[in-house]
Amino acid sequence: MNWIAVGLAKDVPPGVVIPSRIEDTEMAIWCTPSGRYHAWSDRCPHRGMRLSHGFVRGETLACIYHGWQYNQTGSCDYIPAHPKLTPPDTICVPTYTCVEEGGVIWVSLNSVDDPLPVLGARVPVRSVPVSLSAKDVAAHFGAAGFTTIAVVSDYDTLLAVQPCTDTMCVLHVLAAPDADRKEVSRWVEDLRTTLEGVPA
Ligand code: FES
């Protein structure tokens, strides 16, 4: 796998940070006030607090525990308890390649050589957690890979699948721009019910 959808841009507007994950990699996904998206390890280098519990301060992400601030490269550039100190370069949050394209936030944990998935004219509708692994979702659709699955339906739906755990994934749903979003939303709820094997 390469590019993985980790959220929809409309759910992470400027100034917001959320937790997310790709399998065992836990991340803080955040958006600067200027609209740039970041995916970082969800651990503060200081004492390990989740950075997804922090807050966006200007173009930096601040940890909620002791307020250390990290700039867009992941380097710590301000420690409130020592305001005159220039933090050493070694205080740095691991970062991952992250871009927004087509209203979807994509992360690559590996190489960025692969092109982003082709979304066509589809637009984001919603994200839906499913109690099933990404591989099992792919198997349901007979798909070879499991990161993006185009679904032939009335809505020209595309599912960008985010693998989370052995028993959970998130479907980021895109559909034709003229599709009724409420209908698409009901369709994906039915799909979730089917995938989870819960009687309707
Ligand atoms: S744990 Fe993050 S600043 Fe202390």
Side-chain angles (χ1 to χ4, degrees), residues 34-89:
S34 59
R36 184 173 171 189
Y37 285 88
H38 295 279
W40 290 1
S41 171
D42 198 10
R43 293 289 171 192
C44 177
H46 183 212
R47 294 281 175 82
M49 172 60 74
R50 287 192 180 279
L51 288 170
S52 58
H53 291 174
F55 50 92
V56 179
R57 175 169 281 175
E59 297 293 303
T60 69
L61 184 63
C63 178
I64 198 170
Y65 200 175
H66 306 98
W68 290 22
Q69 292 181 24
Y70 300 91
N71 65 29
Q72 293 191 48
T73 67
S75 295
C76 181
D77 65 3
Y78 184 67
I79 297 176
H82 305 281
K84 294 183 179 176
L85 175 74
T86 299
D89 294 341

Side-chain angles (χ1 to χ4, degrees), residues 8-14 16 29-32 34-40 72 96-101 103-106:
L8 299 182
K10 66 186 180 72
D11 297 327
V12 192
V16 167
I29 308 294
W30 64 287
C31 184
T32 70
S34 59
R36 184 173 171 189
Y37 285 88
H38 295 279
W40 290 1
Q72 293 191 48
Y96 308 107
T97 304
C98 180
V99 297
E100 182 274 326
E101 179 73 24
V104 180
I105 305 167
W106 303 94

